[in-house]
Amino acid sequence: MSGGAIYNLGKLDIRESVFSENKAEIGGAISNWRAKVTIADSEFTANRADESGGAIFSRETPTRIESSDFKANTAAKGGAIGGMDTWIAISDSQIAFNSAEEYGGGLSILNGTLRVTSIEIRGNDAADGGGLYSEDATIIFSESHIGKNRADTGGGFHITGGTVTLADNVIQSNCARNHGAAVFHDEAADLNESGTSYEKNRIGECDG
């Protein structure tokens, strides 16, 4: 059911590895539960989860990802990466062309913390939150590029509750069919923004 390639309950250190076309209900390539994970210089391509975390799913697991690429992964929730009640840090990585049927085309996180530095989130697609979907989470995004993501609501980000800090990012050419081409956040969310550039985001048909 969980972890198409690896189901992790302990300490996991992955470097210079490739995960491709793995499949599970949760965590298409890797599923982590109450563990500790470090991933560096690795590739995750075309993995699938029927439920959450097309490439990686972490619950109650500190997860650190560095210099890694996530492409063409799919899930119902969290096309590339899904997290719940957890802490995730991602740096110098690319999350591109992933998709989720429900929410979080690139990433989703519920009730946790996500810290992002110098990454690219590009060309991801979901019903809600093409690039990122967060719910009651603490999100910190800095020095990153969020571009050409698509969704019905929240092309770049869909934020429900929690606190989001955006600092020195470029949010560009994202599309939403209904609301929030760049960012959608509800009345319970606290959004703090500084030094971020918003360019060419649009509402309308998102095909092409």
Side-chain angles (χ1 to χ4, degrees), residues 21-186:
E21 299 185 24
N22 301 285
K23 182 178 179 181
E25 289 188 19
I26 298 173
I30 301 172
S31 183
N32 304 293
W33 170 254
R34 293 182 177 174
K36 183 177 181 180
V37 180
T38 301
I39 297 169
D41 303 303
S42 295
E43 297 179 10
F44 294 79
T45 305
N47 301 284
R48 176 174 177 81
D50 293 333
E51 295 184 17
S52 300
I56 296 173
F57 180 80
S58 289
R59 184 166 186 177
E60 298 181 35
T61 297
T63 303
R64 185 179 298 276
I65 299 168
E66 302 171 353
S67 304
S68 296
D69 291 338
F70 296 80
K71 295 181 180 178
N73 302 284
T74 60
K77 306 164 187 176
I81 300 169
M84 180 180 291
D85 302 318
T86 196
W87 179 91
I88 300 173
I90 308 172
S91 62
D92 302 307
S93 297
Q94 183 182 75
I95 299 171
F97 309 115
N98 305 280
S99 63
E101 296 165 11
E102 297 181 29
Y103 58 71
L107 307 96
S108 70
I109 185 164
L110 312 179
N111 304 308
T113 298
L114 172 66
R115 183 181 293 270
V116 166
T117 307
S118 299
I119 76 167
E120 182 179 32
I121 299 178
R122 175 169 57 91
N124 303 285
D125 189 276
D128 293 326
L132 166 73
Y133 178 91
S134 70
E135 186 173 315
D136 297 326
T138 299
I139 309 295
I140 303 170
F141 257 77
S142 62
E143 300 174 3
S144 295
H145 185 274
I146 300 92
K148 297 184 178 180
N149 302 286
R150 304 181 300 181
D152 292 338
T153 303
F157 298 92
H158 188 293
I159 301 159
T160 301
T163 300
V164 177
T165 300
L166 304 176
D168 303 318
N169 302 287
V170 175
I171 303 177
Q172 182 180 44
S173 301
N174 299 283
C175 179
R177 300 170 187 90
N178 297 323
H179 307 290
V183 178
F184 172 87
H185 70 97
D186 69 5

